[in-house]
């Protein structure tokens, strides 16, 4: 599998540790979208590049890192068709893929250490979408199509439980 990896300056060291782990322990191909030092970089720029590459089918999945993992997730999720999930534990990382078909997992270098991050990445990469929540993912995709087409329907909330 071809995997994008990217980080801002806050996530540079964690990115390098995860990249090395993947290269040494898997058959996956890594494409590094930067940053390539601790020099300041705006995380949206990296997140948009990774999201675009995945959206265009150049890569299958991505890993994005910033200080909290939240900024890169918010930025990546602005890109049409992308589902990015912030994960700091193995269960969330596994469910991001199994239940939500998240193409990108994000992490915060100021939140998670390299050893836990390796486990999170391993959990995320070792599962495939099971389509168990396909109906829900399809609803997300349909709402996104409405926004993109300009046919957004307000007031569609439901009071149904579960």
């Amino acid at each position: 599998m071809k995997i994008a990896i990217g980080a801002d300056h806050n996530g540079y060291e964690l990115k390098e540790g995860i990249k090395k782990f993947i290269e040494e322990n898997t058959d996956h191909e890594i494409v590094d979208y930067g940053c390539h030092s601790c020099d300041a970089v705006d995380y949206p720029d990296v997140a948009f590049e990774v999201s675009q590459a995945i959206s265009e089918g150049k890569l299958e999945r991505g890993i994005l890192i910033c200080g909290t993992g939240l900024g890169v997730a918010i930025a990546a999720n602005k890109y049409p068709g992308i589902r990015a999930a912030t994960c700091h534990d193995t269960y969330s990382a596994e469910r991001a893929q199994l239940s939500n078909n998240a193409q990108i997992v994000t992490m915060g270098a100021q939140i998670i250490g390299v050893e836990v991050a390796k486990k999170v990445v391993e959990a995320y990469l070792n599962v495939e979408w099971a389509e168990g929540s396909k109906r829900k993912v399809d609803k997300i995709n349909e709402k996104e199509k409405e926004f993109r087409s300009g046919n957004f329907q307000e007031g569609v909330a439901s009071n149904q439980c579960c």
Side-chain angles (χ1 to χ4, degrees):
M1 178 178 348
K2 287 180 80 171
I3 303 164
I5 192 165
D8 70 358
H9 54 286
N10 291 307
Y12 169 72
E13 290 181 17
L14 183 58
K15 176 188 70 92
E16 292 299 307
I18 291 170
K19 186 169 77 170
K20 182 178 179 182
F21 170 75
I22 293 170
E23 290 171 343
E24 292 178 354
N25 295 287
T26 74
D27 294 330
H28 302 305
E29 179 183 341
I30 294 287
V31 179
D32 189 340
Y33 282 81
C35 67
H36 302 289
S37 72
C38 291
D39 295 339
V41 172
D42 292 339
Y43 63 78
D45 298 334
V46 177
F48 294 153
E49 281 190 64
V50 167
S51 297
Q52 181 175 349
I54 291 171
S55 181
E56 292 173 352
K58 295 177 182 175
L59 303 144
E60 295 172 63
R61 294 199 205 166
I63 300 163
L64 288 170
I65 305 160
C66 66
T68 62
L70 301 172
V72 286
I74 291 167
N77 281 319
K78 295 297 181 189
Y79 206 91
I82 293 297
R83 288 175 303 285
T86 304
C87 300
H88 292 122
D89 63 84
T90 57
Y91 184 73
S92 297
E94 184 180 86
R95 297 317 305 179
Q97 180 57 29
L98 282 175
S99 295
N100 300 296
N101 196 20
Q103 305 102 319
I104 299 172
V105 68
T106 73
M107 292 177 280
Q110 296 167 346
I111 308 291
I112 190 170
V114 69
E115 293 306 316
V116 174
K118 290 175 187 177
K119 297 285 186 195
V120 168
V121 167
E122 186 175 45
Y124 173 67
L125 295 178
N126 285 336
V127 295
E128 295 291 328
W129 188 35
E131 295 191 24
S133 296
K134 185 177 182 328
R135 181 183 82 252
K136 296 169 190 171
V137 172
D138 286 347
K139 284 183 177 185
I140 294 167
N141 291 337
E142 286 302 314
K143 185 56 68 180
E144 183 176 56
K145 285 179 188 173
E146 284 180 29
F147 280 115
R148 289 187 354 210
S149 70
N151 293 326
F152 175 63
Q153 299 289 320
E154 291 190 43
V156 204
S158 170
N159 292 328
Q160 295 178 351
C161 177
C162 309

